[in-house]
Amino acid sequence: MNQKLPNATTVLVLGIVAILGSCCCNGIVGVICGLIGMNLYNKDNALYQANPSLYSDFDNLKVGRILCIIGLIIGVLSLIYMIFVLSTVGWSGYMDQINQLKNMGK
């Protein structure tokens, strides 16, 4: 009987949260969840590579890894953009841009 890898579902969920967090929270949540997911992936991948016939859900682990990588990339790009914006226009300029975006639809 095949077992499930202990963190395969967790890596998958962290990958999804990494992508959503990168898009919604200026990248910091995406980077954190992506790094945690990649760490858990490495642990489960080592378990799977030691005895592949013992585990059944390696596909979930691979998909979770891909999502974590995408979340990390988007999160890092978001953080770089945020640092660029804050260094060029400052906090007040950034808040002015946010207020202009809020008032666009009115």
Side-chain angles (χ1 to χ4, degrees):
M1 183 168 177
N2 290 344
Q3 299 178 29
K4 291 187 178 246
L5 288 164
N7 295 318
T9 306
T10 307
V11 172
L12 190 62
V13 170
L14 283 170
I16 294 168
V17 172
I19 292 174
L20 293 175
S22 294
C23 295
C24 299
C25 300
N26 295 329
I28 191 72
V29 173
V31 170
I32 291 170
C33 289
L35 289 173
I36 293 170
M38 290 302 293
N39 186 22
L40 292 175
Y41 166 80
N42 288 334
K43 290 178 184 177
D44 274 9
N45 189 35
L47 281 174
Y48 180 79
Q49 296 303 327
N51 195 352
S53 62
L54 193 61
Y55 300 104
S56 64
D57 61 345
F58 188 66
D59 290 335
N60 283 346
L61 192 66
K62 289 192 300 188
V63 171
R65 183 189 106 194
I66 292 169
L67 293 175
C68 285
I69 290 171
I70 293 170
L72 275 170
I73 291 170
I74 295 172
V76 168
L77 290 175
S78 295
L79 282 174
I80 290 171
Y81 175 73
M82 180 59 76
I83 291 169
F84 172 74
V85 167
L86 290 177
S87 66
T88 56
V89 298
W91 184 257
S92 62
Y94 173 70
M95 291 309 291
D96 288 341
Q97 287 178 353
I98 297 296
N99 287 332
Q100 285 176 357
L101 287 173
K102 279 186 197 176
N103 295 329
M104 260 176 106
K106 293 182 181 179

